[in-house]
Amino acid sequence: MQTKRTVFGNRLLPYALLLPQLAVTVVFFLWPAAQAILQSFQREDAFGLSTAWVGLTNYTDLLQDPSYLNALKVTAIFAPAVTLLSVGLGLVFAASLDRLVRGSRVYATLLVWPYAVAPAVGGIMWWFLFNPTIGLLPYLLAMVGYHWDHALQPTDAMILVVIAASWKQVSYNFLFFMAGLQAIPKSMIEAAAIDGAGPVKRFFTISLPLLSPTTFFLAVINLVYAMFDTFPVIHATTGGNPAQSTNILVYKVFVDGFIGLNLGSSAAQSVVLMIIVVALTVIQFKWVERKVTY
Amino acid sequence: MIDRHPWLDALAHVVLIVGVLVVAFPVYVAVIASTHGPNDFMSGLIPLLPGREMFANYRSMLTDGLSSSGAPPLLGMLWNSLVMALSIAFGKIIISILSAYAIVYFRFPFRAVAFWMIFITLMLPVEVRIVPTFKVVADLGLLDSYAGLTVPLIASATATFLFRQFFLTVPEELMEAARIDGAGPLKFFRDVLLPLSRTNIAALFVILFIYGWNQYLWPMMITTTSSHYTIVMGIKRMSDVADALPQWNVVMTTVVLAMLPPVIVVVGMQRLFVKGLIETEK
């Protein structure tokens, strides 16, 4: 915990300055999180009239619940798929842009703006494009003999949500890779060029290894995004269907808690997710601490 | 350029052009769809050339909404989104800069506790603790109000962290000089630190405005009457209605209107946006 060498010697002022943020944090973050942990050990009847302590039952139930195991499996496919697709494309675009001097600002602007589009909006647009009755992409797929229907076929639905969720994230990864590539010293690239390494070889032996911290950082950020911020994509398009094939963990917490009113189970799921977020955040923070020196 | 490889340059252009086209394509289709009348979607394929109903679609959606199906006019929704995005952006910036100032420029009991209490919120996205948070807001009587829409979302660990990092790089001498001149902590904050943080604040503003504008689950949970609907959450309602009767043109009109303000902010303030993004995350 760093401070300045000299500090102001005021007793009450720092508390007054911290008060607004701490108040919001306690009331809307820590208190609900504590409630979730508490509820995860309780079972409430459907009318909220009585609660009983049930220990770890909610957790053990989860592990035996096929629909929860299914949501785990779906998330384990969805999150890495989104990460791979959006990080991969971000890298391809950044590397291409790094080659060009002219026109690079125009390309950058044209690639960056999807970041501003809400995930729900992106989801609706792809859903429209893939609409089985009038959508353009099913029409084209039908020409090559594929019958697309994300309302009936689980694989099609998964492809739809992966594309819709990755679409806006590509711009984010592109920006970070671009910044990473610009930070590589020109002298290193020039030395390799003098030694006779061509541009492709230079990319794979110099740029890519030097980008590995950025890649790692983006992998974590994108996993977090895919696991937690894609709720709107799922909700606005497939609603977790068909046959629960796109029901990711975050979506299930919502469905079980608000629609199923199974508070104990929903709370236990929240706690599991919190543990996952904490783990991912610690990994990310460790990396930031090592990389940034102040 | 160290060596010339015309074919590689050409390949880079091709990759980027394809990328731009893929990224822009769904938006193009949405804009085109918003210029057609409802009957143009009966033919079996999305139209790919502009229609003639653009003016009528936007005017009727902005002022009447899908009134036949109970969806409110978009003008009101746009206003709510604007209020929400601005309140969240300003609220986050104000409470974060104050708490970062306390943490960096003062030494007091429980300083580390306060820092970690704030930092831990980074780990608790609202989607994860949605049910208990909803209950807290309901108990406080904040359902269906601007306060309920914004206050629970304004605690921000990332913004606090960014300001903390920035304050740590401000030279010690500035504060020592201010103290010798007899400036108290509030005067130092107002006359020295705030002006120095101007670019950081502006950069952060862009990111937070987009964050607030794009909220989906939270407004959906806590608004119960249409007078507080925001446009991003309203889209889902429009598309449910439109699925029953094929009104793709008005859904896409809504999509375009929901997308326009944040995209304008990003494109117009690109330099600040990039600075804010790269700094808040690292």
Side-chain angles (χ1 to χ4, degrees), chain B residues 77-110:
Chain B
M77 291 202 204
L78 284 168
W79 171 252
N80 291 335
S81 286
L82 187 69
V83 170
M84 184 172 176
L86 289 177
S87 315
I88 288 178
F90 283 120
K92 272 186 187 248
I93 288 171
I94 291 169
I95 69 171
S96 303
I97 200 168
L98 290 180
S99 51
Y101 180 53
I103 282 170
V104 173
Y105 280 92
F106 295 86
R107 201 168 288 147
F108 53 92
F110 305 114

Short mmCIF file of all heavy atoms in Angstrom, two decimals, chain B residues 77-110:
data_model
loop_
_atom_site.label_atom_id
_atom_site.label_comp_id
_atom_site.label_asym_id
_atom_site.label_seq_id
_atom_site.Cartn_x
_atom_site.Cartn_y
_atom_site.Cartn_z
N MET B 77 -37.40 6.71 -24.04
CA MET B 77 -36.39 5.72 -23.71
C MET B 77 -34.99 6.27 -23.92
O MET B 77 -34.08 6.02 -23.12
CB MET B 77 -36.56 4.49 -24.60
CG MET B 77 -37.78 3.68 -24.34
SD MET B 77 -37.42 2.05 -24.99
CE MET B 77 -38.99 1.40 -25.30
N LEU B 78 -34.80 7.02 -25.02
CA LEU B 78 -33.49 7.62 -25.28
C LEU B 78 -33.13 8.58 -24.16
O LEU B 78 -31.99 8.63 -23.70
CB LEU B 78 -33.50 8.36 -26.62
CG LEU B 78 -33.43 7.48 -27.87
CD1 LEU B 78 -33.73 8.30 -29.11
CD2 LEU B 78 -32.07 6.82 -28.01
N TRP B 79 -34.12 9.35 -23.71
CA TRP B 79 -33.89 10.29 -22.62
C TRP B 79 -33.46 9.54 -21.35
O TRP B 79 -32.48 9.91 -20.70
CB TRP B 79 -35.14 11.13 -22.37
CG TRP B 79 -35.07 11.96 -21.15
CD1 TRP B 79 -35.75 11.77 -20.00
CD2 TRP B 79 -34.24 13.13 -20.95
NE1 TRP B 79 -35.40 12.74 -19.09
CE2 TRP B 79 -34.47 13.57 -19.64
CE3 TRP B 79 -33.32 13.80 -21.76
CZ2 TRP B 79 -33.83 14.69 -19.10
CZ3 TRP B 79 -32.67 14.91 -21.23
CH2 TRP B 79 -32.93 15.34 -19.93
N ASN B 80 -34.18 8.45 -21.02
CA ASN B 80 -33.81 7.67 -19.83
C ASN B 80 -32.41 7.11 -19.95
O ASN B 80 -31.65 7.10 -18.97
CB ASN B 80 -34.81 6.52 -19.62
CG ASN B 80 -36.17 7.04 -19.21
OD1 ASN B 80 -36.28 8.13 -18.65
ND2 ASN B 80 -37.20 6.27 -19.48
N SER B 81 -32.05 6.61 -21.14
CA SER B 81 -30.70 6.08 -21.34
C SER B 81 -29.66 7.18 -21.12
O SER B 81 -28.62 6.94 -20.51
CB SER B 81 -30.54 5.54 -22.76
OG SER B 81 -31.23 4.32 -22.88
N LEU B 82 -29.97 8.36 -21.62
CA LEU B 82 -29.03 9.47 -21.48
C LEU B 82 -28.85 9.84 -20.01
O LEU B 82 -27.72 9.99 -19.52
CB LEU B 82 -29.54 10.68 -22.27
CG LEU B 82 -28.57 11.86 -22.35
CD1 LEU B 82 -27.37 11.49 -23.21
CD2 LEU B 82 -29.25 13.10 -22.92
N VAL B 83 -29.97 9.94 -19.29
CA VAL B 83 -29.89 10.26 -17.86
C VAL B 83 -29.07 9.19 -17.14
O VAL B 83 -28.17 9.49 -16.36
CB VAL B 83 -31.31 10.34 -17.24
CG1 VAL B 83 -31.24 10.42 -15.72
CG2 VAL B 83 -32.06 11.53 -17.80
N MET B 84 -29.35 7.93 -17.46
CA MET B 84 -28.65 6.84 -16.79
C MET B 84 -27.15 6.88 -17.10
O MET B 84 -26.32 6.80 -16.20
CB MET B 84 -29.25 5.52 -17.24
CG MET B 84 -28.65 4.33 -16.52
SD MET B 84 -29.56 2.83 -16.91
CE MET B 84 -28.54 1.64 -16.05
N ALA B 85 -26.80 7.02 -18.39
CA ALA B 85 -25.39 6.99 -18.77
C ALA B 85 -24.64 8.17 -18.14
O ALA B 85 -23.53 7.99 -17.61
CB ALA B 85 -25.26 7.03 -20.29
N LEU B 86 -25.25 9.36 -18.17
CA LEU B 86 -24.55 10.53 -17.62
C LEU B 86 -24.43 10.42 -16.09
O LEU B 86 -23.37 10.71 -15.54
CB LEU B 86 -25.28 11.82 -18.00
CG LEU B 86 -25.18 12.22 -19.47
CD1 LEU B 86 -26.01 13.47 -19.74
CD2 LEU B 86 -23.73 12.46 -19.87
N SER B 87 -25.50 9.98 -15.42
CA SER B 87 -25.42 9.87 -13.96
C SER B 87 -24.36 8.86 -13.55
O SER B 87 -23.59 9.10 -12.61
CB SER B 87 -26.75 9.41 -13.36
OG SER B 87 -27.80 10.12 -13.92
N ILE B 88 -24.32 7.73 -14.25
CA ILE B 88 -23.33 6.71 -13.88
C ILE B 88 -21.92 7.24 -14.14
O ILE B 88 -21.03 7.10 -13.29
CB ILE B 88 -23.59 5.40 -14.66
CG1 ILE B 88 -24.83 4.72 -14.09
CG2 ILE B 88 -22.40 4.47 -14.57
CD1 ILE B 88 -25.23 3.45 -14.80
N ALA B 89 -21.71 7.88 -15.29
CA ALA B 89 -20.37 8.37 -15.61
C ALA B 89 -19.93 9.42 -14.59
O ALA B 89 -18.85 9.32 -14.00
CB ALA B 89 -20.34 8.95 -17.02
N PHE B 90 -20.77 10.43 -14.33
CA PHE B 90 -20.37 11.47 -13.38
C PHE B 90 -20.27 10.91 -11.97
O PHE B 90 -19.33 11.21 -11.24
CB PHE B 90 -21.36 12.65 -13.43
CG PHE B 90 -21.16 13.53 -14.62
CD1 PHE B 90 -22.15 13.73 -15.55
CD2 PHE B 90 -19.92 14.17 -14.81
CE1 PHE B 90 -21.95 14.54 -16.66
CE2 PHE B 90 -19.71 14.98 -15.92
CZ PHE B 90 -20.74 15.16 -16.85
N GLY B 91 -21.25 10.08 -11.58
CA GLY B 91 -21.23 9.52 -10.23
C GLY B 91 -19.97 8.73 -9.97
O GLY B 91 -19.30 8.90 -8.95
N LYS B 92 -19.62 7.85 -10.91
CA LYS B 92 -18.43 7.03 -10.75
C LYS B 92 -17.19 7.89 -10.66
O LYS B 92 -16.31 7.66 -9.82
CB LYS B 92 -18.28 6.07 -11.94
CG LYS B 92 -18.99 4.76 -11.78
CD LYS B 92 -18.63 3.84 -12.93
CE LYS B 92 -19.46 2.57 -12.90
NZ LYS B 92 -18.72 1.36 -12.60
N ILE B 93 -17.08 8.88 -11.53
CA ILE B 93 -15.88 9.71 -11.54
C ILE B 93 -15.76 10.46 -10.21
O ILE B 93 -14.69 10.47 -9.60
CB ILE B 93 -15.90 10.67 -12.74
CG1 ILE B 93 -15.64 9.89 -14.03
CG2 ILE B 93 -14.85 11.77 -12.57
CD1 ILE B 93 -15.84 10.67 -15.30
N ILE B 94 -16.87 11.04 -9.73
CA ILE B 94 -16.79 11.83 -8.50
C ILE B 94 -16.42 10.97 -7.31
O ILE B 94 -15.44 11.25 -6.59
CB ILE B 94 -18.14 12.56 -8.24
CG1 ILE B 94 -18.33 13.65 -9.31
CG2 ILE B 94 -18.16 13.18 -6.85
CD1 ILE B 94 -19.72 14.25 -9.33
N ILE B 95 -17.13 9.86 -7.08
CA ILE B 95 -16.82 9.10 -5.87
C ILE B 95 -15.46 8.41 -5.97
O ILE B 95 -14.78 8.24 -4.98
CB ILE B 95 -17.92 8.09 -5.48
CG1 ILE B 95 -18.02 6.95 -6.47
CG2 ILE B 95 -19.27 8.76 -5.31
CD1 ILE B 95 -18.95 5.85 -5.98
N SER B 96 -15.03 8.08 -7.20
CA SER B 96 -13.74 7.40 -7.34
C SER B 96 -12.58 8.35 -7.12
O SER B 96 -11.58 8.00 -6.49
CB SER B 96 -13.59 6.80 -8.73
OG SER B 96 -14.62 5.94 -8.99
N ILE B 97 -12.70 9.56 -7.65
CA ILE B 97 -11.56 10.49 -7.52
C ILE B 97 -11.42 10.91 -6.06
O ILE B 97 -10.30 11.04 -5.54
CB ILE B 97 -11.72 11.69 -8.49
CG1 ILE B 97 -10.35 12.35 -8.70
CG2 ILE B 97 -12.72 12.71 -8.00
CD1 ILE B 97 -10.33 13.35 -9.83
N LEU B 98 -12.54 11.06 -5.36
CA LEU B 98 -12.47 11.43 -3.94
C LEU B 98 -11.81 10.32 -3.12
O LEU B 98 -10.92 10.56 -2.31
CB LEU B 98 -13.87 11.73 -3.39
CG LEU B 98 -14.54 13.01 -3.89
CD1 LEU B 98 -15.91 13.16 -3.28
CD2 LEU B 98 -13.68 14.24 -3.58
N SER B 99 -12.25 9.08 -3.36
CA SER B 99 -11.69 8.01 -2.52
C SER B 99 -10.24 7.74 -2.88
O SER B 99 -9.43 7.43 -2.00
CB SER B 99 -12.55 6.74 -2.60
OG SER B 99 -12.77 6.40 -3.94
N ALA B 100 -9.88 7.88 -4.16
CA ALA B 100 -8.47 7.68 -4.52
C ALA B 100 -7.61 8.76 -3.87
O ALA B 100 -6.50 8.50 -3.39
CB ALA B 100 -8.30 7.74 -6.03
N TYR B 101 -8.12 9.97 -3.81
CA TYR B 101 -7.40 11.07 -3.16
C TYR B 101 -7.17 10.74 -1.68
O TYR B 101 -6.05 10.87 -1.17
CB TYR B 101 -8.21 12.36 -3.30
CG TYR B 101 -7.58 13.57 -2.67
CD1 TYR B 101 -6.27 13.94 -2.98
CD2 TYR B 101 -8.28 14.35 -1.76
CE1 TYR B 101 -5.69 15.05 -2.41
CE2 TYR B 101 -7.72 15.48 -1.18
CZ TYR B 101 -6.41 15.81 -1.51
OH TYR B 101 -5.84 16.91 -0.93
N ALA B 102 -8.21 10.26 -1.00
CA ALA B 102 -8.06 9.89 0.41
C ALA B 102 -7.02 8.80 0.58
O ALA B 102 -6.18 8.86 1.49
CB ALA B 102 -9.41 9.43 0.97
N ILE B 103 -7.02 7.83 -0.32
CA ILE B 103 -6.13 6.68 -0.14
C ILE B 103 -4.67 7.05 -0.41
O ILE B 103 -3.76 6.54 0.24
CB ILE B 103 -6.60 5.51 -1.04
CG1 ILE B 103 -7.80 4.83 -0.39
CG2 ILE B 103 -5.50 4.50 -1.26
CD1 ILE B 103 -8.48 3.84 -1.27
N VAL B 104 -4.44 7.95 -1.35
CA VAL B 104 -3.06 8.27 -1.71
C VAL B 104 -2.48 9.38 -0.84
O VAL B 104 -1.31 9.34 -0.46
CB VAL B 104 -2.96 8.64 -3.21
CG1 VAL B 104 -1.56 9.12 -3.56
CG2 VAL B 104 -3.32 7.44 -4.06
N TYR B 105 -3.27 10.38 -0.49
CA TYR B 105 -2.71 11.57 0.14
C TYR B 105 -2.90 11.64 1.66
O TYR B 105 -2.58 12.65 2.26
CB TYR B 105 -3.27 12.83 -0.52
CG TYR B 105 -2.57 13.14 -1.82
CD1 TYR B 105 -3.06 12.65 -3.03
CD2 TYR B 105 -1.39 13.90 -1.84
CE1 TYR B 105 -2.41 12.92 -4.22
CE2 TYR B 105 -0.74 14.17 -3.02
CZ TYR B 105 -1.25 13.68 -4.21
OH TYR B 105 -0.59 13.93 -5.38
N PHE B 106 -3.46 10.59 2.24
CA PHE B 106 -3.65 10.60 3.69
C PHE B 106 -3.16 9.27 4.26
O PHE B 106 -3.11 8.27 3.55
CB PHE B 106 -5.12 10.79 4.07
CG PHE B 106 -5.68 12.12 3.66
CD1 PHE B 106 -6.20 12.30 2.39
CD2 PHE B 106 -5.68 13.19 4.55
CE1 PHE B 106 -6.71 13.53 2.02
CE2 PHE B 106 -6.18 14.42 4.17
CZ PHE B 106 -6.71 14.59 2.90
N ARG B 107 -2.77 9.31 5.54
CA ARG B 107 -2.45 8.05 6.20
C ARG B 107 -3.35 7.97 7.41
O ARG B 107 -3.34 8.86 8.24
CB ARG B 107 -0.97 8.04 6.61
CG ARG B 107 -0.43 6.65 6.83
CD ARG B 107 1.09 6.69 6.94
NE ARG B 107 1.74 6.96 5.65
CZ ARG B 107 2.88 7.64 5.53
NH1 ARG B 107 3.47 8.15 6.58
NH2 ARG B 107 3.42 7.82 4.34
N PHE B 108 -4.19 6.96 7.46
CA PHE B 108 -5.17 6.90 8.54
C PHE B 108 -5.47 5.44 8.86
O PHE B 108 -5.23 4.56 8.02
CB PHE B 108 -6.45 7.64 8.14
CG PHE B 108 -7.05 7.19 6.84
CD1 PHE B 108 -7.99 6.20 6.79
CD2 PHE B 108 -6.62 7.77 5.62
CE1 PHE B 108 -8.53 5.79 5.59
CE2 PHE B 108 -7.16 7.34 4.42
CZ PHE B 108 -8.12 6.35 4.41
N PRO B 109 -5.99 5.17 10.04
CA PRO B 109 -6.31 3.79 10.39
C PRO B 109 -7.32 3.20 9.40
O PRO B 109 -8.19 3.92 8.90
CB PRO B 109 -6.94 3.91 11.79
CG PRO B 109 -6.49 5.22 12.31
CD PRO B 109 -6.26 6.11 11.15
N PHE B 110 -7.20 1.95 9.10
CA PHE B 110 -8.10 1.21 8.19
C PHE B 110 -7.97 1.64 6.73
O PHE B 110 -8.85 1.39 5.93
CB PHE B 110 -9.57 1.36 8.61
CG PHE B 110 -9.82 0.96 10.03
CD1 PHE B 110 -10.22 1.88 10.97
CD2 PHE B 110 -9.60 -0.35 10.43
CE1 PHE B 110 -10.41 1.50 12.29
CE2 PHE B 110 -9.80 -0.73 11.74
CZ PHE B 110 -10.21 0.20 12.67
#
